[in-house]
């Protein structure tokens, strides 16, 4: 609760640049996800992407939550966007497989 409240205060302060707002929304989304509030997590991950369309982690995390909610198309679209931003390292193959597993495919 304290982390959510702190992020919310900073977000609502009006004095935070967009780059930092993206990070604040992402961090608050993480806490919402950890506490089981998937709707709020999706909302904050979406806001993070809105402030920074290149925020790869926000796309991947939102895709994972969407996948758990059986929103396969939306999840895969997020993974596609995240992979397009990838310069090196792991892609979203594991995340995609997990979405298919969760939906019985």
């Amino acid at each position: 609760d304290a982390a959510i409240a702190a992020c919310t205060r900073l977000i609502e302060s009006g004095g935070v640049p967009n780059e930092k707002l993206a990070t604040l929304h992402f961090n608050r989304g993480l806490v919402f996800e950890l506490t089981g509030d998937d709707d709020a997590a999706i909302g904050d991950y979406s806001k993070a992407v809105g402030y920074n369309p290149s925020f790869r982690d926000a796309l991947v995390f939102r895709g994972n939550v969407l996948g758990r909610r059986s929103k396969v198309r939306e999840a895969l679209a997020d993974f596609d966007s995240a992979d397009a931003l990838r310069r090196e390292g792991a892609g979203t193959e594991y995340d995609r497989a997990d979405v298919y597993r969760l939906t019985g495919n």
Side-chain angles (χ1 to χ4, degrees), residues 1-84:
D1 289 342
I4 291 171
C7 286
T8 301
R9 277 192 305 276
L10 286 169
I11 289 166
E12 294 175 352
S13 73
V16 179
N18 285 354
E19 180 181 306
K20 299 283 185 190
L21 282 171
T23 301
L24 285 167
H25 279 288
F26 176 74
N27 289 339
R28 190 172 69 175
L30 288 172
V31 177
F32 280 133
E33 185 177 354
L34 289 172
T35 60
D37 191 344
D38 285 350
D39 289 334
I42 291 168
D44 268 341
Y45 293 147
S46 295
K47 287 177 184 173
V49 172
Y51 284 113
N52 179 1
S54 298
F55 201 148
R56 188 174 185 282
D57 286 344
L59 289 163
V60 172
F61 279 69
R62 183 176 68 183
N64 285 322
V65 176
L66 289 167
R68 282 198 312 271
R69 308 282 307 271
S70 298
K71 296 182 178 187
V72 176
R73 283 189 193 153
E74 294 94 333
L76 296 177
D78 276 353
F79 298 149
D80 288 342
S81 296
D83 283 344

